[in-house]
Amino acid sequence: MTNLQAVMFDWAGTVVDFGSFAPTTIFVEAFKREYDFDISLEEARVPMGLGKWDHIKAVGELPEVDARWQAKFGQPMQKEDIDKIYQTFMPLQVKKVAEHADLIPGAKEVIDGLRQHNIKIGSCTGYPRIVLDALLPAAKANGYSPDCAVATDDLKAGGRPAPYMLLQNMIELAVDDVKACVKVDDSLPGITEGLNAGMWTVALLLSGNEAGLTLQEFEAADEATLAAARIKAQDVFAHSGAHYQVDTIADLPDVLADIELRLSKGDRP
C-alpha cells in the first residue's frame, strides 16, 4: 500500500470490548444508583459514540425515557440531573473499563498488518481522558497500543460528530492528506465524524453497539441469527453515508485494499 497514510479507530466495539458493553452497562447502573431510575440496555445504546455527558443528555431526551422521567419527577431531565448522573458514571466507568479491554478477534492481526505497511494507527473515542487513560495500559497489555489516542474532552472544540479529534490525530501523526485516512467505527456519530473530516469511513456491523452481541453470542450464532443482527445494524447505518459496511475489524484488510485501489485511480472519499 502506497497511498494510505493512517487508519483511525474507535475503541469500544471496534478494537476492544466486543459488543461495546463497558459504557452501556455503566449508563444503566448510573441512572439506577443516582435516581433509582431504570433505563434499558437498548435505550443506553441509542446515542452511542457521543461524549458521555452528551450521551446522558441524549438518553434523557429519548421520548420513552423522557415520558417515564416526567411521570416520576414532574419535569424533564435538567442540567443538574445530567451532572449528577455523569458524576456517578465517571468513577464506575474508570473502575470497569479495563475489564473490557480484550481485543476483538482479528484486531491484532489487522493492526500488525497496517504496521508492516507503515500505515499509522490513530484513535479517538467518546470516553473522556480519565477513562481513556485507564483503558490504554489495559489494551497495551493485550497487544494494542495506537500511535495516537485522543479523548472526547481533550479539545476545546468538542467531540463527535465534529471532526476535531480526527484532525488532531492527523496533526500528532504528521499525516498530510485527509483522503489518505480511514475512520473505522461501530457508531453513527463516529461515522459522521469521519465524513466531516473528509475521510473514508468503515462501519462495523456485528462487533459493536448496534448489534449488541457478546463475543460468546457472536461465536455461537448460526447464520440466521447473524443475518438478523446484521440487518438491524444496517438499518442504523443505511443513511449514514459510510463508504463501507463490514461485520468486524477482521474484515478490514479487503476494504483497505479496495480503498488503496480507488486512491490509485484518483478517487476521493
Side-chain angles (χ1 to χ4, degrees):
M1 294 186 183
T2 58
N3 293 296
L4 282 175
Q5 295 185 34
V7 180
M8 317 294 192
F9 291 98
D10 176 50
W11 281 83
T14 297
V15 180
V16 300
D17 186 12
F18 198 104
S20 195
F21 283 92
T24 50
T25 55
I26 302 301
F27 280 122
V28 173
E29 187 172 349
F31 271 82
K32 184 68 174 178
R33 283 197 183 193
E34 191 59 47
Y35 283 101
D36 192 26
F37 185 83
D38 294 320
I39 62 170
S40 68
L41 198 60
E42 290 72 23
E43 289 167 339
R45 288 187 180 281
V46 173
M48 189 57 67
L50 297 177
K52 301 315 176 192
W53 193 94
D54 291 327
H55 187 128
I56 294 167
K57 180 175 182 288
V59 169
E61 291 173 346
L62 294 173
E64 57 273 25
V65 174
D66 177 58
R68 298 199 309 272
W69 186 277
Q70 292 201 48
K72 184 166 185 174
F73 300 109
Q75 62 178 0
M77 186 182 291
Q78 305 296 301
K79 179 182 180 298
E80 53 267 29
D81 300 320
I82 302 170
D83 289 339
K84 285 183 178 180
I85 295 169
Y86 184 77
Q87 289 162 9
T88 298
F89 170 86
M90 284 308 304
L92 290 171
Q93 187 69 93
V94 171
K95 181 179 179 181
K96 295 286 189 180
V97 70
E99 299 175 8
H100 295 269
D102 288 344
L103 299 190
I104 288 170
K108 188 176 187 306
E109 292 78 5
V110 169
I111 299 299
D112 289 347
L114 293 175
R115 295 202 185 284
Q116 289 173 8
H117 288 284
N118 296 315
I119 296 173
K120 296 176 180 179
I121 312 298
S123 71
C124 58
T125 179
Y127 285 138
R129 173 53 61 178
I130 189 173
V131 176
L132 185 57
D133 282 346
L135 177 56
L136 282 166
K140 184 176 182 179
N142 289 330
Y144 175 56
S145 185
D147 301 317
C148 179
V150 180
T152 192
D153 59 348
D154 282 348
L155 307 176
K156 291 182 179 179
R160 298 165 179 163
Y164 307 119
M165 289 194 292
L166 291 176
L167 299 180
Q168 184 64 29
N169 268 272
M170 289 187 64
I171 292 169
E172 294 189 24
L173 296 173
V175 173
D176 61 10
D177 190 349
V178 291
K179 74 176 183 293
C181 297
V182 181
K183 175 63 194 304
V184 185
D185 208 296
D186 67 300
S187 73
L188 186 57
I191 293 299
T192 306
E193 171 191 39
L195 294 171
N196 286 338
M199 298 180 180
W200 301 95
T201 56
V202 183
L204 303 183
L205 301 175
L206 294 185
S207 65
N209 181 67
E210 301 307 337
L213 298 171
T214 67
L215 178 58
Q216 293 73 22
E217 288 171 338
F218 172 75
E219 291 178 336
D222 58 22
E223 186 49 46
T225 301
L226 292 180
R230 194 177 290 117
I231 290 171
K232 177 184 174 185
Q234 286 171 335
D235 286 345
V236 174
F237 290 115
H239 303 291
S240 67
H243 297 96
Y244 299 87
Q245 298 181 27
V246 296
D247 287 350
T248 77
I249 189 173
D251 303 304
L252 192 59
D254 287 344
V255 170
L256 297 182
D258 190 65
I259 293 173
E260 179 72 21
L261 179 62
R262 292 173 68 176
L263 285 171
S264 69
K265 295 178 178 179
D267 289 354
R268 302 177 62 89

